[in-house]
Amino acid sequence: MEWSFRSAVELAAALRAGEITSVELTDEAIAGIERGDTVINAICVRTFDRARAAALRADQARARGEDRPLLGIPVTVKECFNIAGIPTTWGMPPHRNYVPVQDAVQVSRLEAAGAVVLGKTNVPLGLQDIQSFNEIYGTTSNPWDHDRTSGGSSGGSAAALAAGFGALSIGSDMAGSLRTPAHFCGVFAHKPTLGLAPARGMVAPPAPPLAVDLDLAVVGPMARTAGDLTLLLDVMAGPDPLTLGVAYDLTLPPPRHERLRDFRVLVLDEHPLIGTGVAVRAGVNRVADALADGGARVERRSPLLPDVTEAATLFTELLFSGSAAYFPVDEYEQLRSRAAELKSSDASLDATRLRAMVFSHRDWLAANNRRELHREGWRRLFAEFDVVVCPITPTPAFAHDHNPDLLGRRIDIDGAEYPYFDQLVWAGLATMPGLPSTAVPAGHSPEGLPVGVQIIGPMFEDRTPLRLAELLEPKIGGFRAPTRGLHQHHSKAE
């Protein structure tokens, strides 16, 4: 276990110094997975033979004097990314045997950077849940408490990192799918600016891997340190050669500041549409206090913040109109008749979801135009502030809930019940306008569960929230290895 929880930056330095080989690191990672993953079930597809071969190649390359950003570092990949010759299912039983013939662009970039892929991490059915379970691969549990979810849809990746299975992982995020699992498992993640990292080949089977511009979804890095997020983002970022040609170079601007005391921060911990749990509010306040102690300018409100209720409505409309667009005709017609029965005065998120699922193109364009007004509002806000710090979801990890009626599920926030998907409003705050957002650990709940917060930055200024995450890390503790919920289920596992 000596190397399992080291950062990728530390591993790269050790590999360069000859303190360890990639083969040794890979063997240790594989042993850790074989020992610890039976209870957690983070790695749904093991590619150990390929990993050992890649590690050997990495060591040989280093012996020849080569060096690359991730050369010889063990990593994992979310199940939804195509790897040639390995099944991609998105947890959908009809596609359990679908095998792509081409790597996703991000898998190609990982391998070009020298990474050693240990396997694929578990996801929910169609990536459409805040948990990670499906009929093909079963349920991923939280390494801190196996009765609770690791989050979704990048739940397998977050659990793998928290358990020490690889130093880095790549995931995706549309409704918090990178940030929520990071918050639930006590690790770091970064949702890049929309369009910064190409997603070609992260596509539901059996669709072809086309170079499409996604409306809300992004792909991004997950890690156990803030510095590792930057290391991996630099590998992932930059245009898809199919769309913009290799001549186009996107150089991200440097962070706005290098010292904590120079940052101007807006801190939010209340949302008009949903309660904030005590544990999450405490995490936000811990970060706010660390910022203030470091000399940053911290404000709790600003008239420049775009209306968060309208933002939640717009996010819900854009998200659910997209997710229902390919439903079978009979299901679509049922939704249409249900939406027609809604009272016009009903402005709840439940009603918004139902109406959005049967949006016309005219309806969608109206929502999209309002999104542009919000983007303009965020530009004005970011002239006065550098980042916004706020919750990712209102609670720490919740108990596994496999009720097949997702819209019938409820989330308990300190004794008050809300519709399950209402907890997405905080994640949507960054997703709807396409802003970068870094998820950072912010301590633990009274029950010992991890709590994270997100740092939202200006569009294409990803290095600003990433840098602040790095500056905060020593002040608020960063990643801590789970006291491994293993005692709970030890008797069952034996």
Side-chain angles (χ1 to χ4, degrees):
M1 298 294 287
E2 190 197 344
W3 299 92
S4 296
F5 288 99
R6 300 281 186 95
S7 71
V9 169
E10 289 171 326
L11 294 181
L15 286 162
R16 285 184 188 116
E19 287 171 41
I20 187 135
T21 66
S22 178
V23 166
E24 289 167 332
L25 282 183
T26 301
D27 282 340
E28 183 179 303
I30 288 170
I33 294 166
E34 287 175 335
R35 190 172 50 243
D37 202 36
T38 45
V39 272
I40 295 164
N41 192 33
I43 317 282
C44 59
V45 181
R46 297 176 174 190
T47 56
F48 293 166
D49 290 346
R50 291 168 68 131
R52 287 189 174 104
L56 186 60
R57 286 197 302 276
D59 287 335
Q60 290 165 341
R62 199 172 286 286
R64 291 193 299 270
E66 287 182 36
D67 196 9
R68 299 199 285 280
L70 306 177
L71 187 59
I73 294 174
V75 306
T76 59
V77 170
K78 187 176 178 179
E79 201 276 346
C80 55
F81 289 88
N82 288 345
I83 301 180
I86 303 290
T88 295
T89 69
W90 287 44
M92 302 191 283
H95 302 296
R96 67 170 66 232
N97 298 317
Y98 177 76
V99 177
V101 295
Q102 190 182 3
D103 286 344
V105 67
Q106 292 300 347
V107 172
S108 302
R109 286 182 180 181
L110 273 183
E111 294 190 336
V116 172
V117 177
L118 298 165
K120 285 185 150 200
T121 59
N122 203 23
V123 296
L125 175 67
L127 311 191
Q128 295 195 334
D129 201 349
I130 309 163
Q131 306 171 69
S132 294
F133 68 91
N134 60 73
E135 280 179 37
I136 304 174
Y137 297 123
T139 301
T140 299
S141 294
N142 193 309
W144 287 88
D145 179 347
H146 303 143
D147 294 329
R148 294 174 189 261
T149 183
S150 60
S153 61
S154 310
S157 288
L161 287 165
F165 307 154
L168 303 167
S169 195
I170 58 169
S172 58
D173 187 315
M174 182 157 68
S177 284
L178 283 160
R179 293 162 287 162
T180 299
H183 153 51
F184 284 176
C185 294
V187 299
F188 289 80
H190 181 71
K191 180 194 101 61
T193 297
L194 183 67
L196 174 62
R200 178 165 49 90
M202 190 215 66
V203 61
L210 304 176
V212 290
D213 282 334
L214 299 172
D215 181 46
L216 296 166
V218 300
V219 298
M222 304 182 81
R224 286 185 295 267
T225 69
D228 279 3
L229 290 180
T230 299
L231 176 72
L232 183 48
L233 182 68
D234 286 345
V235 169
M236 298 180 74
D240 185 333
L242 285 193
T243 51
L244 282 162
V246 280
Y248 176 77
D249 172 37
L250 179 69
T251 306
L252 291 178
R256 289 187 174 189
H257 311 291
E258 288 292 344
R259 301 177 305 185
L260 213 47
R261 65 173 179 266
D262 296 330
F263 277 86
R264 302 163 300 165
V265 185
L266 177 63
V267 174
L268 310 175
D269 67 355
E270 286 186 356
H271 199 289
L273 297 181
I274 197 163
T276 306
V278 170
V280 168
R281 193 186 301 273
V284 173
N285 286 328
R286 267 194 293 277
V287 173
D289 290 346
L291 287 163
D293 291 346
R297 192 187 111 206
V298 178
E299 306 275 342
R300 290 289 188 151
R301 53 189 54 79
S302 168
L304 294 170
L305 182 70
D307 183 307
V308 293
T309 300
E310 189 187 38
T313 303
L314 285 174
F315 170 65
T316 302
E317 289 174 345
L318 293 164
L319 179 69
F320 281 84
S321 60
S323 67
Y326 300 101
F327 278 16
V329 173
D330 53 335
E331 279 183 44
Y332 184 77
E333 290 304 330
Q334 283 170 14
L335 289 168
R336 273 237 304 235
S337 52
R338 278 175 58 199
E341 290 164 13
L342 290 169
K343 289 193 174 74
S344 58
S345 60
D346 187 348
S348 68
L349 288 177
D350 258 348
T352 303
R353 278 186 278 275
L354 192 50
R355 290 192 193 104
M357 288 164 104
V358 291
F359 257 20
S360 66
H361 189 48
R362 177 191 176 92
D363 295 328
W364 185 89
L365 285 172
N368 189 47
N369 284 336
R370 296 212 312 283
R371 165 165 53 186
E372 290 304 333
L373 289 170
H374 274 252
R375 282 182 172 146
E376 185 52 39
W378 280 100
R379 279 191 279 274
R380 286 198 290 270
L381 176 84
F382 284 128
E384 296 294 321
F385 293 94
D386 302 307
V387 296
V388 172
V389 168
C390 65
I392 295 168
T393 72
T395 67
F398 51 85
H400 297 296
D401 180 356
H402 294 187
N403 176 359
D405 174 16
L406 275 70
L407 296 178
R409 290 184 196 162
R410 292 290 175 265
I411 179 77
D412 181 304
I413 304 174
D414 296 345
E417 286 211 335
Y418 292 85
Y420 182 74
F421 283 120
D422 284 13
Q423 64 185 301
L424 300 180
V425 295
W426 284 114
L429 196 64
T431 298
M432 186 271 292
L435 300 171
S437 174
T438 307
V440 302
H444 291 76
S445 74
E447 301 86 20
L449 295 167
V451 169
V453 304
Q454 61 179 330
I455 306 171
I456 301 173
M459 205 152 195
F460 289 109
E461 292 189 56
D462 294 61
R463 296 195 191 284
T464 293
L466 283 165
R467 181 65 183 137
L468 184 56
E470 226 170 317
L471 293 168
L472 277 169
E473 192 172 355
K475 286 185 152 296
I476 50 175
F479 170 76
R480 218 173 73 203
T483 34
R484 271 256 221 316
L486 286 182
H487 57 276
Q488 308 162 260
H489 290 284
H490 218 54
S491 52
K492 285 187 200 171
E494 278 169 4

